[in-house]
Protein backbone atom coordinates (compact mmCIF):
# COMPACT_ATOMS: atom_id res chain seq x y z
CA UNK A 1 0.00 0.00 0.00
CA UNK A 2 2.88 2.37 0.86
CA UNK A 3 4.60 1.71 -2.47
CA UNK A 4 1.39 2.07 -4.44
CA UNK A 5 0.59 5.35 -2.68
CA UNK A 6 4.03 6.78 -3.44
CA UNK A 7 3.83 5.74 -7.10
CA UNK A 8 0.35 7.23 -7.44
CA UNK A 9 1.49 10.53 -5.87
CA UNK A 10 4.54 10.68 -8.14
CA UNK A 11 2.52 9.95 -11.27
CA UNK A 12 -0.04 12.64 -10.43
CA UNK A 13 2.64 15.26 -9.71
CA UNK A 14 4.57 14.43 -12.86
CA UNK A 15 1.36 14.53 -14.88
CA UNK A 16 0.70 18.10 -13.69
CA UNK A 17 4.24 19.13 -14.61
CA UNK A 18 4.01 17.55 -18.06
CA UNK A 19 0.71 19.34 -18.73
CA UNK A 20 2.20 22.67 -17.64
CA UNK A 21 5.18 22.17 -19.91
CA UNK A 22 2.93 21.19 -22.80
CA UNK A 23 0.86 24.35 -22.42
CA UNK A 24 4.04 26.41 -22.31
CA UNK A 25 5.40 24.76 -25.44
CA UNK A 26 2.17 25.29 -27.40
CA UNK A 27 2.37 29.00 -26.57
CA UNK A 28 5.59 29.33 -28.61
CA UNK A 29 5.42 31.32 -31.85
CA UNK A 30 3.58 29.39 -34.52
CA UNK A 31 6.29 30.17 -37.07
CA UNK A 32 9.06 28.56 -35.01
CA UNK A 33 10.66 25.62 -36.76
CA UNK A 34 10.92 22.25 -35.00
CA UNK A 35 14.06 20.19 -35.60
CA UNK A 36 15.23 16.87 -34.27
CA UNK A 37 18.34 17.57 -32.21
CA UNK A 38 21.64 15.87 -33.03
CA UNK A 39 22.52 15.05 -29.40
CA UNK A 40 19.96 12.42 -28.48
CA UNK A 41 21.86 9.34 -27.32
CA UNK A 42 22.80 9.35 -23.62
CA UNK A 43 25.98 7.48 -24.58
CA UNK A 44 27.10 10.66 -26.38
CA UNK A 45 28.62 13.59 -24.50
CA UNK A 46 28.01 17.16 -25.67
CA UNK A 47 30.84 19.39 -24.45
CA UNK A 48 28.91 22.68 -24.51
CA UNK A 49 30.15 25.72 -22.60
CA UNK A 50 27.57 26.81 -20.02
CA UNK A 51 25.66 23.50 -20.06
CA UNK A 52 26.21 20.84 -17.39
CA UNK A 53 25.44 17.43 -18.84
CA UNK A 54 26.16 14.29 -16.79
CA UNK A 55 27.60 11.60 -19.04
CA UNK A 56 25.49 8.44 -19.50
CA UNK A 57 22.54 10.11 -17.80
CA UNK A 58 21.50 13.30 -19.60
CA UNK A 59 20.87 14.23 -23.22
CA UNK A 60 22.81 17.10 -24.73
CA UNK A 61 19.56 18.71 -25.92
CA UNK A 62 15.94 17.64 -25.66
CA UNK A 63 15.10 15.45 -28.62
CA UNK A 64 13.08 18.23 -30.28
CA UNK A 65 14.10 21.88 -30.17
CA UNK A 66 12.07 24.86 -31.38
CA UNK A 67 14.10 27.30 -33.47
CA UNK A 68 12.96 30.86 -34.19
CA UNK A 69 15.31 32.45 -36.72
CA UNK A 70 13.80 35.90 -36.14
CA UNK A 71 14.51 36.03 -32.39
CA UNK A 72 17.44 33.59 -32.49
CA UNK A 73 15.90 31.61 -29.65
CA UNK A 74 16.08 27.82 -29.32
CA UNK A 75 13.79 26.12 -26.83
CA UNK A 76 13.08 22.51 -25.97
CA UNK A 77 11.14 20.45 -23.46
CA UNK A 78 12.63 17.09 -22.63
CA UNK A 79 12.75 14.47 -19.96
CA UNK A 80 13.24 10.89 -18.90
CA UNK A 81 10.67 8.39 -17.70
CA UNK A 82 12.45 5.63 -15.80
CA UNK A 83 10.90 2.79 -13.81
CA UNK A 84 13.25 0.68 -11.68
CA UNK A 85 12.09 -2.41 -9.79
CA UNK A 86 14.65 -4.01 -7.47
CA UNK A 87 15.10 -6.90 -5.07
CA UNK A 88 17.50 -7.02 -2.10
CA UNK A 89 18.85 -10.25 -0.65
CA UNK A 90 21.56 -11.30 1.81
CA UNK A 91 22.01 -7.77 3.14
CA UNK A 92 20.30 -4.38 2.99
CA UNK A 93 21.04 -0.66 3.25
CA UNK A 94 19.26 1.85 5.46
CA UNK A 95 18.45 4.00 2.41
CA UNK A 96 16.16 1.38 0.82
CA UNK A 97 16.26 1.77 -2.99
CA UNK A 98 19.53 3.75 -3.13
CA UNK A 99 22.56 1.47 -2.89
CA UNK A 100 24.98 3.60 -0.87
CA UNK A 101 27.69 1.49 0.76
CA UNK A 102 28.03 4.06 3.54
CA UNK A 103 24.53 3.04 4.70
CA UNK A 104 24.91 -0.77 4.64
CA UNK A 105 23.54 -2.13 7.90
CA UNK A 106 25.93 -3.66 10.45
CA UNK A 107 25.57 -6.49 11.31
CA UNK A 108 24.27 -7.76 7.96
CA UNK A 109 20.49 -7.60 7.75
CA UNK A 110 19.64 -10.83 5.93
CA UNK A 111 16.02 -9.86 5.26
CA UNK A 112 15.05 -9.62 1.58
CA UNK A 113 13.09 -6.71 0.14
CA UNK A 114 11.32 -5.78 -3.09
CA UNK A 115 10.41 -2.33 -4.35
CA UNK A 116 9.89 -0.12 -7.39
CA UNK A 117 11.03 3.48 -7.73
CA UNK A 118 10.70 6.27 -10.29
CA UNK A 119 14.12 7.69 -9.44
CA UNK A 120 15.68 9.27 -12.50
CA UNK A 121 12.30 10.27 -13.90
CA UNK A 122 12.48 13.97 -14.73
CA UNK A 123 11.31 16.75 -17.03
CA UNK A 124 13.33 19.77 -18.07
CA UNK A 125 13.40 23.00 -20.07
CA UNK A 126 16.40 24.09 -22.07
CA UNK A 127 16.62 27.46 -23.80
CA UNK A 128 19.49 28.92 -25.81
CA UNK A 129 19.82 32.41 -27.26
CA UNK A 130 22.52 34.73 -28.59
CA UNK A 131 23.35 38.38 -28.05
CA UNK A 132 25.84 39.06 -30.79
CA UNK A 133 28.55 36.46 -30.26
CA UNK A 134 27.54 35.86 -26.64
CA UNK A 135 25.50 32.75 -25.81
CA UNK A 136 22.88 32.49 -23.06
CA UNK A 137 21.63 29.14 -21.76
CA UNK A 138 18.79 28.66 -19.27
CA UNK A 139 18.06 25.22 -17.83
CA UNK A 140 15.42 23.94 -15.42
CA UNK A 141 14.98 20.33 -14.29
CA UNK A 142 12.42 18.78 -11.96
CA UNK A 143 12.21 15.12 -11.05
CA UNK A 144 11.05 12.36 -8.76
CA UNK A 145 12.72 11.97 -5.36
CA UNK A 146 13.23 8.68 -3.56
CA UNK A 147 10.23 9.31 -1.29
CA UNK A 148 7.90 9.66 -4.27
CA UNK A 149 7.66 13.47 -4.18
CA UNK A 150 8.73 15.75 -7.02
CA UNK A 151 11.23 18.56 -6.55
CA UNK A 152 13.68 20.91 -8.22
CA UNK A 153 16.97 19.25 -9.22
CA UNK A 154 18.73 21.86 -11.35
CA UNK A 155 17.99 25.48 -12.24
CA UNK A 156 20.62 27.80 -13.68
CA UNK A 157 21.43 30.45 -16.25
CA UNK A 158 24.73 30.77 -18.11
CA UNK A 159 26.16 33.73 -19.98
CA UNK A 160 29.03 32.32 -22.00
CA UNK A 161 31.13 30.64 -19.29
CA UNK A 162 29.59 32.43 -16.28
CA UNK A 163 26.87 30.36 -14.57
CA UNK A 164 24.71 30.73 -11.46
CA UNK A 165 22.05 28.53 -9.87
CA UNK A 166 21.68 24.89 -8.81
CA UNK A 167 24.55 23.32 -10.72
CA UNK A 168 26.84 20.26 -10.37
CA UNK A 169 29.83 21.12 -8.17
CA UNK A 170 32.95 22.24 -10.04
CA UNK A 171 34.78 19.64 -7.92
CA UNK A 172 32.85 17.02 -9.90
CA UNK A 173 33.92 15.48 -13.24
CA UNK A 174 30.79 15.33 -15.38
CA UNK A 175 32.33 13.16 -18.12
CA UNK A 176 33.73 10.36 -15.98
CA UNK A 177 31.88 7.11 -15.22
CA UNK A 178 29.95 4.34 -16.94
CA UNK A 179 26.37 3.59 -17.88
CA UNK A 180 24.46 2.37 -14.78
CA UNK A 181 20.95 2.17 -13.38
CA UNK A 182 21.91 5.25 -11.35
CA UNK A 183 20.98 4.05 -7.86
CA UNK A 184 24.53 3.01 -6.99
CA UNK A 185 26.57 6.12 -7.85
CA UNK A 186 29.10 5.39 -10.57
CA UNK A 187 31.36 8.31 -9.61
CA UNK A 188 32.98 9.26 -6.32
CA UNK A 189 32.39 13.03 -6.37
CA UNK A 190 28.78 14.01 -7.03
CA UNK A 191 27.07 17.08 -5.60
CA UNK A 192 24.31 19.36 -6.95
CA UNK A 193 23.73 22.62 -5.07
CA UNK A 194 23.69 26.42 -5.53
CA UNK A 195 26.90 27.97 -6.82
CA UNK A 196 28.35 30.72 -8.98
CA UNK A 197 31.06 29.57 -11.35
CA UNK A 198 33.09 30.58 -14.38
CA UNK A 199 34.53 28.25 -17.03
CA UNK A 200 37.04 29.37 -19.63
CA UNK A 201 38.14 27.53 -22.76
CA UNK A 202 41.80 27.70 -23.76
CA UNK A 203 41.76 26.64 -27.38
CA UNK A 204 40.37 23.27 -28.44
CA UNK A 205 41.77 21.03 -25.71
CA UNK A 206 42.11 22.94 -22.43
CA UNK A 207 39.48 24.35 -20.06
CA UNK A 208 39.45 25.58 -16.46
CA UNK A 209 36.71 26.46 -13.99
CA UNK A 210 36.41 28.29 -10.66
CA UNK A 211 33.32 28.43 -8.42
CA UNK A 212 32.07 29.61 -5.05
CA UNK A 213 29.63 27.01 -3.75
CA UNK A 214 26.95 26.73 -1.08
CA UNK A 215 28.54 25.65 2.23
CA UNK A 216 27.05 23.10 4.57
CA UNK A 217 28.08 21.28 7.74
CA UNK A 218 26.09 18.48 9.37
CA UNK A 219 26.69 17.90 13.09
CA UNK A 220 23.45 16.03 13.81
CA UNK A 221 25.30 12.98 15.19
CA UNK A 222 26.72 15.18 17.96
CA UNK A 223 23.42 16.74 19.03
CA UNK A 224 22.02 15.78 22.43
CA UNK A 225 18.64 14.92 20.90
CA UNK A 226 20.11 12.33 18.51
CA UNK A 227 22.93 10.93 20.65
CA UNK A 228 21.63 11.39 24.20
CA UNK A 229 25.11 12.68 25.12
CA UNK A 230 26.65 16.08 25.64
CA UNK A 231 29.66 16.40 23.34
CA UNK A 232 30.01 20.14 23.91
CA UNK A 233 29.48 21.17 20.29
CA UNK A 234 26.65 22.58 18.25
CA UNK A 235 26.08 23.73 14.69
CA UNK A 236 26.74 27.27 13.51
CA UNK A 237 25.96 29.28 10.38
CA UNK A 238 28.67 28.90 7.74
CA UNK A 239 30.19 32.34 6.99
CA UNK A 240 32.15 31.55 3.82
CA UNK A 241 31.41 29.62 0.61
CA UNK A 242 33.23 26.48 -0.44
CA UNK A 243 35.74 27.24 -3.20
CA UNK A 244 36.27 24.72 -6.01
CA UNK A 245 38.37 24.69 -9.16
CA UNK A 246 39.32 22.29 -11.95
CA UNK A 247 41.52 22.05 -15.01
CA UNK A 248 40.62 19.69 -17.85
CA UNK A 249 42.51 18.46 -20.91
CA UNK A 250 40.50 16.75 -23.64
CA UNK A 251 41.70 14.87 -26.70
CA UNK A 252 40.02 12.66 -29.28
CA UNK A 253 40.13 9.44 -27.22
CA UNK A 254 39.60 10.78 -23.69
CA UNK A 255 40.23 13.44 -21.07
CA UNK A 256 41.99 14.14 -17.78
CA UNK A 257 40.72 16.45 -15.04
CA UNK A 258 42.39 17.72 -11.87
CA UNK A 259 39.99 19.25 -9.31
CA UNK A 260 40.47 21.00 -5.98
CA UNK A 261 38.15 22.01 -3.13
CA UNK A 262 38.67 24.26 -0.09
CA UNK A 263 36.22 24.61 2.80
CA UNK A 264 36.09 26.86 5.88
CA UNK A 265 33.84 25.07 8.39
CA UNK A 266 32.58 26.63 11.64
CA UNK A 267 31.07 25.01 14.73
CA UNK A 268 30.11 26.27 18.19
CA UNK A 269 31.72 24.86 21.31
CA UNK A 270 30.72 25.16 24.98
CA UNK A 271 31.76 23.77 28.35
CA UNK A 272 28.27 23.59 29.80
CA UNK A 273 25.04 23.77 27.76
CA UNK A 274 23.54 25.96 30.52
CA UNK A 275 26.27 28.58 30.08
CA UNK A 276 25.09 31.89 28.60
CA UNK A 277 25.67 32.27 24.87
CA UNK A 278 28.42 34.81 25.57
CA UNK A 279 30.59 31.97 26.91
CA UNK A 280 30.15 29.82 23.80
CA UNK A 281 32.94 30.12 21.24
CA UNK A 282 33.21 29.63 17.48
CA UNK A 283 35.90 27.34 16.13
CA UNK A 284 37.07 27.37 12.49
CA UNK A 285 38.37 24.27 10.68
CA UNK A 286 39.65 24.00 7.12
CA UNK A 287 38.65 21.17 4.79
CA UNK A 288 40.27 20.38 1.47
CA UNK A 289 40.05 17.88 -1.38
CA UNK A 290 41.98 16.91 -4.50
CA UNK A 291 40.67 14.73 -7.31
CA UNK A 292 42.25 13.22 -10.41
CA UNK A 293 39.87 11.66 -12.95
CA UNK A 294 39.51 10.80 -16.60
CA UNK A 295 38.28 8.65 -19.47
CA UNK A 296 40.27 6.78 -22.09
CA UNK A 297 39.10 4.89 -25.17
CA UNK A 298 41.79 2.44 -26.28
CA UNK A 299 39.40 1.37 -29.05
CA UNK A 300 36.24 3.01 -30.37
CA UNK A 301 33.67 1.05 -28.32
CA UNK A 302 35.57 0.57 -25.05
CA UNK A 303 35.65 3.35 -22.46
CA UNK A 304 37.77 3.14 -19.32
CA UNK A 305 37.19 5.61 -16.48
CA UNK A 306 38.85 6.32 -13.16
CA UNK A 307 38.69 8.76 -10.29
CA UNK A 308 40.95 9.09 -7.23
CA UNK A 309 40.04 11.47 -4.40
CA UNK A 310 41.75 12.41 -1.16
CA UNK A 311 41.13 15.15 1.36
CA UNK A 312 39.64 16.01 4.74
CA UNK A 313 36.19 17.27 5.74
CA UNK A 314 34.66 16.70 2.28
CA UNK A 315 32.46 13.63 2.83
CA UNK A 316 29.37 15.64 1.82
CA UNK A 317 30.80 15.78 -1.74
CA UNK A 318 31.39 12.01 -1.94
CA UNK A 319 28.40 10.17 -3.40
CA UNK A 320 28.55 7.12 -1.09
CA UNK A 321 29.03 9.24 2.04
CA UNK A 322 26.62 12.11 1.39
CA UNK A 323 24.28 12.88 4.29
CA UNK A 324 26.35 10.63 6.60
CA UNK A 325 27.58 13.42 8.94
CA UNK A 326 31.23 12.43 8.52
CA UNK A 327 32.96 15.76 7.93
CA UNK A 328 34.37 16.44 11.43
CA UNK A 329 35.44 14.16 14.27
CA UNK A 330 35.69 14.82 18.00
CA UNK A 331 39.39 15.21 18.80
CA UNK A 332 39.16 15.84 22.57
CA UNK A 333 39.51 19.22 24.30
CA UNK A 334 41.63 22.24 23.44
CA UNK A 335 43.87 24.23 25.80
CA UNK A 336 40.88 26.28 27.02
CA UNK A 337 38.81 23.21 27.85
CA UNK A 338 36.40 23.47 24.92
CA UNK A 339 35.53 20.46 22.75
CA UNK A 340 37.90 20.29 19.82
CA UNK A 341 36.93 19.02 16.37
CA UNK A 342 39.01 18.30 13.28
CA UNK A 343 38.20 17.37 9.66
CA UNK A 344 38.03 13.63 8.95
CA UNK A 345 40.65 12.62 6.35
CA UNK A 346 39.41 10.29 3.62
CA UNK A 347 40.43 8.53 0.44
CA UNK A 348 38.19 7.23 -2.34
CA UNK A 349 38.61 5.65 -5.74
CA UNK A 350 36.63 4.37 -8.72
CA UNK A 351 37.47 2.25 -11.77
CA UNK A 352 35.03 1.39 -14.54
CA UNK A 353 34.90 -0.17 -17.98
CA UNK A 354 32.07 0.15 -20.49
CA UNK A 355 31.90 -1.68 -23.80
CA UNK A 356 29.34 -0.89 -26.49
CA UNK A 357 28.47 -3.44 -29.14
CA UNK A 358 25.74 -2.41 -31.52
CA UNK A 359 22.67 -1.40 -29.52
CA UNK A 360 23.96 -3.12 -26.37
CA UNK A 361 26.47 -2.19 -23.69
CA UNK A 362 27.98 -3.84 -20.62
CA UNK A 363 29.68 -2.10 -17.70
CA UNK A 364 31.75 -3.11 -14.71
CA UNK A 365 32.37 -0.60 -11.91
CA UNK A 366 34.37 -0.88 -8.69
CA UNK A 367 34.47 1.74 -5.92
CA UNK A 368 36.22 2.14 -2.59
CA UNK A 369 35.87 4.67 0.27
CA UNK A 370 37.98 4.93 3.41
CA UNK A 371 37.82 7.26 6.44
CA UNK A 372 41.11 7.57 8.31
CA UNK A 373 39.67 8.75 11.65
CA UNK A 374 36.77 7.66 13.84
CA UNK A 375 33.95 10.19 14.06
CA UNK A 376 34.14 10.25 17.86
CA UNK A 377 37.94 10.17 18.03
CA UNK A 378 39.19 7.90 20.78
CA UNK A 379 35.70 7.36 22.16
CA UNK A 380 34.69 3.99 20.70
CA UNK A 381 31.09 4.44 21.77
CA UNK A 382 29.26 4.89 18.50
CA UNK A 383 27.26 2.11 16.88
CA UNK A 384 28.08 3.70 13.53
CA UNK A 385 31.86 4.13 13.53
CA UNK A 386 32.41 4.11 9.76
CA UNK A 387 35.83 2.87 8.60
CA UNK A 388 35.61 1.98 4.90
CA UNK A 389 33.43 0.38 2.24
CA UNK A 390 33.53 -0.89 -1.30
CA UNK A 391 31.04 -1.73 -4.05
CA UNK A 392 31.14 -3.71 -7.28
CA UNK A 393 28.43 -3.56 -9.93
CA UNK A 394 27.93 -5.16 -13.31
CA UNK A 395 25.16 -4.51 -15.81
CA UNK A 396 23.80 -5.08 -19.29
CA UNK A 397 21.78 -2.53 -21.30
CA UNK A 398 19.95 -2.85 -24.59
CA UNK A 399 19.13 0.37 -26.45
CA UNK A 400 15.77 -0.33 -28.05
CA UNK A 401 16.20 2.98 -29.91
CA UNK A 402 18.43 6.02 -29.35
CA UNK A 403 15.77 7.21 -26.91
CA UNK A 404 14.70 4.06 -25.02
CA UNK A 405 16.61 1.33 -23.20
CA UNK A 406 16.14 -1.57 -20.82
CA UNK A 407 18.72 -3.08 -18.54
CA UNK A 408 19.62 -5.28 -15.60
CA UNK A 409 22.25 -4.59 -12.95
CA UNK A 410 23.74 -6.41 -9.95
CA UNK A 411 25.26 -4.53 -6.99
CA UNK A 412 27.37 -5.94 -4.17
CA UNK A 413 28.79 -3.90 -1.32
CA UNK A 414 30.45 -4.22 2.08
CA UNK A 415 30.93 -1.71 4.89
CA UNK A 416 33.43 -1.98 7.76
CA UNK A 417 33.63 -0.12 11.04
CA UNK A 418 36.30 0.31 13.66
CA UNK A 419 36.29 -2.35 16.42
CA UNK A 420 34.24 -1.31 19.43
CA UNK A 421 34.01 -2.52 22.99
CA UNK A 422 31.24 -5.00 23.68
CA UNK A 423 30.57 -6.35 20.19
CA UNK A 424 32.30 -8.49 17.56
CA UNK A 425 30.27 -7.11 14.64
CA UNK A 426 32.64 -5.10 12.46
CA UNK A 427 31.22 -5.45 8.95
CA UNK A 428 28.04 -5.77 6.95
CA UNK A 429 27.21 -6.57 3.34
CA UNK A 430 24.37 -6.03 0.89
CA UNK A 431 23.24 -7.47 -2.43
CA UNK A 432 20.87 -5.81 -4.87
CA UNK A 433 19.45 -6.72 -8.28
CA UNK A 434 17.92 -3.94 -10.40
CA UNK A 435 15.96 -3.88 -13.63
CA UNK A 436 15.23 -0.66 -15.50
CA UNK A 437 13.00 0.54 -18.35
CA UNK A 438 13.64 4.11 -19.52
CA UNK A 439 12.58 6.47 -22.29
CA UNK A 440 14.36 9.76 -22.99
CA UNK A 441 13.02 12.62 -25.10
Amino acid sequence: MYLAGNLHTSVMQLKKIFLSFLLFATALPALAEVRDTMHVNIREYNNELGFYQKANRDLGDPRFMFYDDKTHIEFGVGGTVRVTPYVSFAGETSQNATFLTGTIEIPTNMASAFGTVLSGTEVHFKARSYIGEHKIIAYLQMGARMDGSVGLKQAYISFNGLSAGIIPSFFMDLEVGAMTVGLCPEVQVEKYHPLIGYTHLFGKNWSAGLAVEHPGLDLSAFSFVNSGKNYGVDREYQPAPDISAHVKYRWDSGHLQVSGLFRNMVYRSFKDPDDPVEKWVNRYRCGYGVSLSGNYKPVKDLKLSFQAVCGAGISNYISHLAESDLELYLAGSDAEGYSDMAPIPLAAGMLSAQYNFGKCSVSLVGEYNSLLKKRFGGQATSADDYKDSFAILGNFFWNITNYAYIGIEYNFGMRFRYPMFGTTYTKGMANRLYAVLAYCF
Side-chain angles (χ1 to χ4, degrees), residues 325-347:
D325 187 10
L326 292 167
E327 293 157 300
L328 298 178
Y329 74 95
L330 199 63
S333 299
D334 61 19
E336 299 178 44
Y338 289 97
S339 294
D340 188 23
M341 304 192 80
I344 298 178
L346 63 82

Side-chain angles (χ1 to χ4, degrees), residues 365-385:
V365 181
E367 298 187 331
Y368 176 75
N369 300 281
S370 180
L371 297 185
L372 307 181
K373 288 286 186 179
K374 290 188 283 187
R375 177 162 54 187
F376 293 92
Q379 303 180 37
T381 57
S382 170
D384 186 26
D385 240 339

Side-chain angles (χ1 to χ4, degrees), residues 132-359:
E133 296 181 355
H134 303 288
K135 180 172 66 174
I136 299 176
I137 293 177
Y139 186 79
L140 174 67
Q141 183 188 68
M142 300 183 69
R145 298 193 181 105
M146 297 306 300
D147 61 0
S149 63
V150 174
L152 186 65
K153 290 189 171 183
Q154 294 187 62
Y156 60 85
I157 185 169
S158 297
F159 182 80
N160 291 336
L162 180 64
S163 304
I166 302 176
I167 299 172
S169 169
F170 275 38
F171 189 47
M172 180 176 170
D173 188 342
L174 291 169
E175 290 190 62
V176 80
M179 180 84 171
T180 71
V181 168
L183 293 173
C184 179
E186 73 278 10
V187 294
Q188 288 294 332
V189 179
E190 182 161 1
K191 184 71 174 179
Y192 293 75
H193 60 175
L195 63 83
I196 300 174
Y198 177 73
T199 303
H200 187 76
L201 302 180
F202 299 90
K204 179 182 177 181
N205 302 104
W206 290 91
S207 64
L210 176 67
V212 290
E213 309 196 6
H214 178 74
L217 178 62
D218 186 1
L219 294 177
S220 57
F222 298 92
S223 72
F224 179 81
V225 174
N226 292 336
S227 66
K229 300 178 182 179
N230 177 18
Y231 291 107
V233 296
D234 195 8
R235 69 179 185 88
E236 179 58 292
Y237 296 108
Q238 301 305 301
D242 296 348
I243 300 174
S244 63
H246 68 254
V247 176
K248 178 182 288 187
Y249 178 74
R250 304 180 84 251
W251 69 98
D252 292 341
S253 57
H255 82 279
L256 282 175
Q257 177 172 309
V258 178
S259 307
L261 177 69
F262 177 80
R263 309 188 67 199
N264 182 25
M265 298 173 286
V266 182
Y267 67 93
R268 306 185 77 189
S269 184
F270 54 86
K271 296 179 181 179
D272 189 318
D274 295 325
D275 286 344
V277 176
E278 291 79 9
K279 290 188 176 182
W280 292 30
V281 297
N282 282 3
R283 293 290 189 251
Y284 298 82
R285 298 294 179 263
C286 294
Y288 67 91
V290 179
S291 171
L292 176 65
S293 57
N295 291 335
Y296 175 60
K297 292 185 176 181
V299 295
K300 178 182 177 182
D301 294 319
L302 175 63
K303 183 178 74 171
L304 306 177
S305 295
F306 78 96
Q307 185 168 70
V309 187
C310 66
I314 61 169
S315 64
N316 196 35
Y317 285 80
I318 306 299
S319 53
H320 279 282
L321 303 178
E323 302 179 2
S324 296
D325 187 10
L326 292 167
E327 293 157 300
L328 298 178
Y329 74 95
L330 199 63
S333 299
D334 61 19
E336 299 178 44
Y338 289 97
S339 294
D340 188 23
M341 304 192 80
I344 298 178
L346 63 82
M350 180 277 296
L351 288 173
S352 71
Q354 177 178 324
Y355 185 74
N356 302 323
F357 49 101
K359 292 186 176 182

Side-chain angles (χ1 to χ4, degrees), residues 2 18 20 36 48 63 80 109 199 215 262 266 274 284 296 306 308 317 326 341 348 406 408 413 418 421:
Y2 176 76
F18 273 119
S20 299
D36 196 341
E48 180 181 10
R63 180 180 175 184
T80 302
N109 182 351
T199 303
F262 177 80
V266 182
D274 295 325
Y284 298 82
Y296 175 60
F306 78 96
Y317 285 80
L326 292 167
M341 304 192 80
I406 59 175
I408 187 169
Y418 287 97
F421 177 78

Side-chain angles (χ1 to χ4, degrees), residues 51-67:
F51 178 61
Y52 301 92
Q53 176 188 3
K54 178 66 188 79
N56 307 301
R57 189 183 303 170
D58 303 326
L59 297 178
D61 282 341
R63 180 180 175 184
F64 296 103
M65 295 285 285
F66 294 86
Y67 292 77

Side-chain angles (χ1 to χ4, degrees), residues 114-131:
F114 173 80
T116 302
V117 292
L118 294 175
S119 176
T121 295
E122 53 83 23
V123 288
H124 59 264
F125 289 141
K126 183 177 181 181
R128 185 188 294 113
S129 184
Y130 297 88
I131 302 177

